[in-house]
Amino acid sequence: MYKLALFYIVVGTITVVLATAFPSCKPCDCYDDNGTLISKCIHLGLTKVPMTIPNNTNHLIMKKNNLSHICNNSFERFYDLRLLDLSYCIIKRIDENGFAGLWNLDILILNHNQDLGFRGLGKAIFGLRNTSLRIIKANSIVRHYAVCVCIDTLMAGYFKETRIEEIHVNDNRIEFAEPHALSLLPSTLKTIIAKNNRFTIGPYLSEVSNLSNLEVLDFSGHMLEENLTIPIPNSNYSFLKDNFQVPIVDYTKQPEIVYSKDLEPPLVFPPNLKILRIQYYDLAYQVTKIALGPNSLKNVDLRGNVLSRWIGPISGVENITDLNLSQNFCLKIYPEFFDNFTSLQTLEMSLNNLQLSLAMDGNGSIFKSLSSLVNISLAENKLRYLPENVFIGLKKCQFLNLSHNLLDHRVFISLQLMNNLQYVNFSHNHIDWFHSTFRKQLEMAGQRSGNLTVDLTDNPLMCDCDNYYFLQWLVSTPYVQFYNIDQYECYFTNGTRTYLSQSEQIFAQLSKTCHSITGQIITVCCCILGILSLVLGAFVYRFRWKLRYLYYFRNSKTIRHQTDDDFEYDAFISYSDDASLFVDQTMKSKVEQEAGLKLCLHNRDFLPSLTIAEGIVTAVKSSRKTVLVMSPDFIKSYWCLYEMNMADMESQHTGRDVLLILLYKHIEYDKIPSTVMYQIKSHTYIEYPDENNDSDAMVTFWEKFSKAIKSP
């Protein structure tokens, strides 16, 4: 009874104290959070600020109410207010002194008041001149379908007498700013977050350099994983990630970013800008020679664009330490691109398509200048093979991420100069074992750094006699730690699998099996001939198009072309019967007669002395382009597909961009063979307009088509 009475006394005392300290502020909820008095009035349908809220409130949160009109001096009684959140309040008007008296206000949040607009925002700031306001968040304060949203001088002028350090204006469809408007922003400004807008190139961009204290600038667009994901229903393409789809972009005709060192760059960066983010903004360029002006850039994030070729060199990037170029659908890196990134420490290049560029970099020229690089990621780049010396220039590298690729046991990269290597991520590849030479490389790297971890998660490790010594090395080497090794799955030849946590049982079973196979050697030898025959047959089938191409190439008298003048035809037209009338009448008229180009047509230009197959190879090699006129009968035609594959082999063999695809008639998606779909997604294509379109559309189409044929 004594303890119960004491409990009621304590509870009563606390209740009285709280009631005295915080009188009822209904309908709101008021409470103390470590010395900060917070008043929450969320989703209550309020049309004005309740008088029950304590005057000494520090944080006032009034989200999702109906405060359509903020009158003058509406908040002046809150003498110590530091955060005011008026998001989703259907605000249409704020009087010029609506926030007057809030001398200690630090953060003002006006998000998602779409009738407020930037003029209304400017008036709201008028009453906060010479206050301590540091952060303002005005995301989505214009209508979703507003056009020509402009930052004008009148609105920007209201900010001039403030000490704002951080501005958030995301999702406002801003397109440009009036001359001198950006120069009116306060000199104290350090951060601008302006994501998901519609900025255009214009003279106003040069005024950004006047923001002398700006350190963070974010012009990012919509996030790819939220808005641009295109699911793939065809299981034949399951190796592609859902968030890594090939965009409908003509890579070969992208504009180039080229700035001469002799000219002033079109955009001069603020002198103290350190972080620049332009993510998912649909920048579609080939990045060639660029000269940037003086800057202090440290962190540049360009992920989620379409910068498909990195050519370079780029000057003015000597201070950058972090660079993100992931998800740019890049097809090629040139050796000069990274020459001036001498301070780069973190390089993110995941979700590109860099297999060909890296596979051909036998002397390590791409990364040769990145001597300061610590962390590099090449995840999800469809890498199948890496040359031994591709990373030889990364002497300070500590973290190497090669996960989610197609690497197998042939992986062998030199680690001799990587004295600081600490982590190599090979997870989610096709590695079933390491060659003994590469094992020694890993051991030596582990000895030099003293702490090397390798991740082989989700690789198909084999539990067979050939792999016996590799598995022993895996669980016993003292120089390399394998991340989460107990969860590695090991596959037996009979199809069963087990985890490496059962290593003792695995080795006992393998030891018994491997010592009993002597009697099977004769049988195995008898099977070798059959197996070799199957392998040879599979090899011939796998490379059937390559072998056919090389056979006819050897017999062909056509030489490899060096210039456009060497080609006998501008384009070889591959088409089926259902497109013959279109080709013979319309295309010949528009391309040969009007555009002055010379076409190669099989029914007109093939030599009768050649076989069909040899005539196709000769036509492909004698033409600058091979045009595939896609129609329903095309994908059913053996010779059309033969012409497509020969043109593809010509591209691979000579390095020329040969294929040009014309989508003439609609084809059901699920009826398109995987080989044809691959070519559509990998090469330039042009869609034939609806015949009901106006004549201007047709004229534009034929001009683009002729221009595409003449492109290198």
Side-chain angles (χ1 to χ4, degrees):
M1 289 296 293
Y2 171 76
K3 292 183 179 179
L4 183 61
L6 181 61
F7 171 77
Y8 282 118
I9 292 173
V10 172
V11 172
T13 303
I14 293 175
T15 303
V16 171
V17 170
L18 291 177
T20 304
F22 304 110
S24 173
C25 62
K26 292 183 178 180
C28 302
D29 180 21
C30 301
Y31 59 92
D32 184 280
D33 183 8
N34 294 325
T36 299
L37 179 55
I38 300 175
S39 298
K40 286 188 176 181
C41 309
I42 300 175
H43 216 312
L44 299 176
L46 300 175
T47 58
K48 61 181 180 179
V49 182
M51 295 303 297
T52 55
I53 299 176
N55 294 345
N56 61 335
T57 294
N58 303 125
H59 291 182
L60 177 56
I61 303 173
M62 299 194 65
K63 297 167 59 175
K64 299 183 178 179
N65 286 290
N66 300 322
L67 305 176
S68 61
H69 182 193
I70 305 297
C71 301
N72 286 329
N73 306 313
S74 294
F75 299 93
E76 65 176 351
R77 65 187 179 92
F78 300 109
Y79 57 86
D80 198 22
L81 192 64
R82 296 191 288 274
L83 182 148
L84 177 59
D85 189 346
L86 299 176
S87 302
Y88 297 96
C89 281
I90 321 178
I91 299 175
K92 298 182 179 179
R93 177 184 172 189
I94 300 177
D95 290 345
E96 291 186 344
N97 289 305
F99 297 127
L102 300 180
W103 302 104
N104 296 314
L105 188 65
D106 183 55
I107 302 174
L108 174 63
I109 304 175
L110 296 171
N111 297 337
H112 300 283
N113 289 289
Q114 296 178 5
D115 292 318
L116 179 60
F118 281 102
R119 287 288 180 89
L121 175 64
K123 289 184 178 181
I125 296 300
F126 181 81
L128 294 168
R129 293 168 299 162
N130 301 315
T131 66
S132 61
L133 182 64
R134 186 175 56 88
I135 299 174
I136 181 166
K137 296 184 178 182
N139 302 322
S140 191
I141 61 169
V142 300
R143 290 285 181 179
H144 286 315
Y145 301 101
V147 295
C148 295
V149 178
C150 171
I151 304 299
D152 58 31
T153 54
L154 179 61
M155 189 282 291
Y158 287 115
F159 284 80
K160 190 171 183 179
E161 297 181 20
T162 67
R163 295 195 290 271
I164 293 175
E165 297 180 6
E166 187 172 324
I167 294 178
H168 296 248
V169 285
N170 302 333
D171 298 290
N172 280 307
R173 299 178 67 84
I174 304 171
E175 296 189 22
F176 62 98
E178 287 184 353
H180 311 300
L182 298 183
S183 299
L184 296 175
L185 295 176
S187 60
T188 54
L189 193 59
K190 294 182 179 180
T191 301
I192 296 179
I193 308 296
K195 298 190 290 187
N196 305 339
N197 285 289
R198 306 179 66 189
F199 293 107
T200 57
I201 302 296
Y204 71 95
L205 290 175
S206 62
E207 297 181 23
V208 176
S209 62
N210 297 330
L211 302 174
S212 57
N213 289 308
L214 191 67
E215 296 179 357
V216 179
L217 182 60
D218 192 338
F219 280 165
S220 299
H222 288 287
M223 303 302 285
L224 181 65
E225 58 267 26
E226 295 178 1
N227 297 284
L228 300 180
T229 298
I230 304 175
I232 297 182
N234 192 333
S235 60
N236 292 335
Y237 298 94
S238 60
F239 64 92
L240 291 174
K241 296 296 179 183
D242 286 343
N243 62 343
F244 180 44
Q245 309 306 320
V246 178
I248 303 175
V249 175
D250 182 354
Y251 293 113
T252 61
K253 297 174 60 180
Q254 285 178 286
E256 298 179 348
I257 306 177
V258 186
Y259 304 144
S260 170
K261 289 186 177 180
D262 300 328
L263 300 176
E264 182 180 358
L267 176 62
V268 179
F269 295 107
N272 291 305
L273 185 67
K274 295 179 176 59
I275 300 175
L276 175 64
R277 301 191 192 102
I278 310 180
Q279 307 169 358
Y280 306 99
Y281 205 72
D282 298 329
L283 297 177
Y285 297 99
Q286 298 183 59
V287 185
T288 60
K289 187 177 182 180
I290 303 176
L292 303 182
N295 62 81
S296 302
L297 283 173
K298 295 287 187 182
N299 187 315
V300 177
D301 194 336
L302 298 172
R303 80 182 76 175
N305 291 289
V306 193
L307 305 177
S308 64
R309 294 179 188 270
W310 307 339
I311 301 172
I314 304 176
S315 61
V317 294
E318 291 78 9
N319 296 320
I320 295 178
T321 59
D322 297 88
L323 178 63
N324 194 326
L325 292 170
S326 61
Q327 290 178 262
N328 265 283
F329 305 97
C330 181
L331 301 172
K332 186 172 180 59
I333 313 176
Y334 285 71
E336 301 82 14
F337 184 76
F338 290 115
D339 278 1
N340 296 314
F341 287 87
T342 52
S343 299
L344 197 62
Q345 296 181 12
T346 299
L347 177 58
E348 174 62 64
M349 297 190 295
S350 60
L351 281 163
N352 284 289
N353 191 358
L354 302 177
Q355 161 60 22
L356 184 59
S357 289
L358 297 183
M360 297 178 64
D361 188 23
N363 57 0
S365 58
I366 291 178
F367 303 121
K368 63 181 182 300
S369 301
L370 302 182
S371 57
S372 299
L373 196 68
V374 174
N375 190 338
I376 180 172
S377 176
L378 287 163
E380 298 187 73
N381 267 281
K382 303 179 185 177
L383 303 179
R384 294 179 179 271
Y385 164 76
L386 289 172
E388 179 180 352
N389 294 323
V390 65
F391 300 128
I392 199 168
L394 306 182
K395 299 178 181 179
K396 293 186 179 179
C397 183
Q398 297 180 18
F399 304 95
L400 175 61
N401 186 356
L402 298 170
S403 64
H404 292 88
N405 282 295
L406 304 172
L407 300 171
D408 56 23
H409 61 266
R410 294 171 295 178
V411 61
F412 177 75
I413 50 179
S414 177
L415 309 176
Q416 292 181 0
L417 300 180
M418 294 176 143
N419 296 326
N420 302 301
L421 195 61
Q422 296 183 14
Y423 191 90
V424 183
N425 191 346
F426 285 119
S427 64
H428 304 279
N429 276 279
H430 296 167
I431 298 171
D432 49 4
W433 58 280
F434 285 144
H435 192 276
S436 59
T437 307
F438 187 55
R439 281 181 248 163
K440 292 179 180 178
Q441 287 265 12
L442 290 171
E443 289 180 349
M444 292 172 63
Q447 286 180 294
R448 290 193 300 268
S449 66
N451 183 23
L452 176 61
T453 299
V454 175
D455 190 350
L456 285 173
T457 302
D458 199 19
N459 278 279
L461 305 178
M462 294 301 298
C463 285
D464 57 23
C465 296
D466 293 335
N467 235 17
Y468 183 80
Y469 294 107
F470 168 69
L471 295 175
Q472 280 193 325
W473 174 83
L474 202 66
V475 299
S476 62
T477 177
Y479 305 110
V480 182
Q481 303 295 321
F482 287 92
Y483 175 76
N484 203 23
I485 187 173
D486 287 344
Q487 297 303 311
Y488 293 176
E489 289 186 326
C490 191
Y491 295 81
F492 289 95
T493 54
N494 60 5
T496 61
R497 60 184 179 179
T498 187
Y499 291 102
L500 279 188
S501 57
Q502 307 295 324
S503 58
E504 292 185 3
Q505 293 88 328
I506 292 173
F507 293 134
Q509 182 174 343
L510 287 179
S511 179
K512 180 179 179 180
T513 302
C514 296
H515 285 85
S516 63
I517 64 172
T518 304
Q520 304 174 15
I521 294 178
I522 297 176
T523 304
V524 172
C525 291
C526 294
C527 296
I528 289 178
L529 184 60
I531 294 174
L532 289 177
S533 300
L534 290 174
V535 170
L536 181 60
F539 178 86
V540 171
Y541 179 79
R542 172 66 177 83
F543 297 100
R544 61 194 184 280
W545 296 114
K546 186 72 172 180
L547 294 172
R548 291 175 183 177
Y549 172 83
L550 292 176
Y551 173 77
Y552 290 111
F553 172 77
R554 183 192 63 185
N555 294 330
S556 175
K557 297 180 180 179
T558 306
I559 62 172
R560 181 176 178 178
H561 303 287
Q562 301 298 328
T563 66
D564 289 349
D565 296 335
D566 292 331
F567 293 106
E568 183 178 353
Y569 302 99
D570 292 292
F572 167 48
I573 309 301
S574 173
Y575 62 96
S576 56
D577 291 340
D578 60 346
S580 59
L581 188 62
F582 166 72
V583 173
D584 290 337
Q585 295 183 4
T586 306
M587 184 180 291
K588 286 171 60 177
S589 172
K590 296 295 184 180
V591 178
E592 288 194 327
Q593 298 177 15
E594 297 183 14
L597 301 178
K598 187 175 181 182
L599 303 180
C600 178
L601 306 177
H602 63 80
N603 60 351
R604 182 189 69 183
D605 299 309
F606 275 26
L607 296 176
S609 60
L610 300 178
T611 63
I612 296 177
E614 188 174 359
I616 290 172
V617 174
T618 302
V620 169
K621 296 185 67 61
S622 301
S623 306
R624 180 184 294 107
K625 295 285 185 181
T626 294
V627 178
L628 308 181
V629 183
M630 287 291 178
S631 62
D633 286 353
F634 184 97
I635 62 176
K636 302 175 184 177
S637 170
Y638 170 82
W639 287 116
C640 287
L641 296 180
Y642 191 97
E643 291 165 347
M644 179 188 74
N645 283 285
M646 289 300 101
D648 186 42
M649 291 298 105
E650 173 74 3
S651 295
Q652 297 181 28
H653 188 72
T654 65
R656 292 197 296 121
D657 186 10
V658 174
L659 279 174
L660 173 62
I661 299 174
L662 170 59
L663 301 182
Y664 171 57
K665 291 184 177 180
H666 176 71
I667 307 174
E668 295 295 334
Y669 182 84
D670 57 355
K671 295 182 180 179
I672 301 177
S674 59
T675 54
V676 177
M677 180 61 72
Y678 174 80
Q679 299 298 342
I680 292 175
K681 290 192 173 186
S682 302
H683 293 85
T684 303
Y685 72 81
I686 300 177
E687 188 170 356
Y688 187 69
D690 192 321
E691 294 183 354
N692 295 324
N693 287 355
D694 55 36
S695 59
D696 291 340
M698 282 296 181
V699 171
T700 301
F701 165 77
W702 287 113
E703 289 177 353
K704 290 175 61 179
F705 182 69
S706 299
K707 186 177 180 181
I709 290 176
K710 293 185 287 185
S711 65

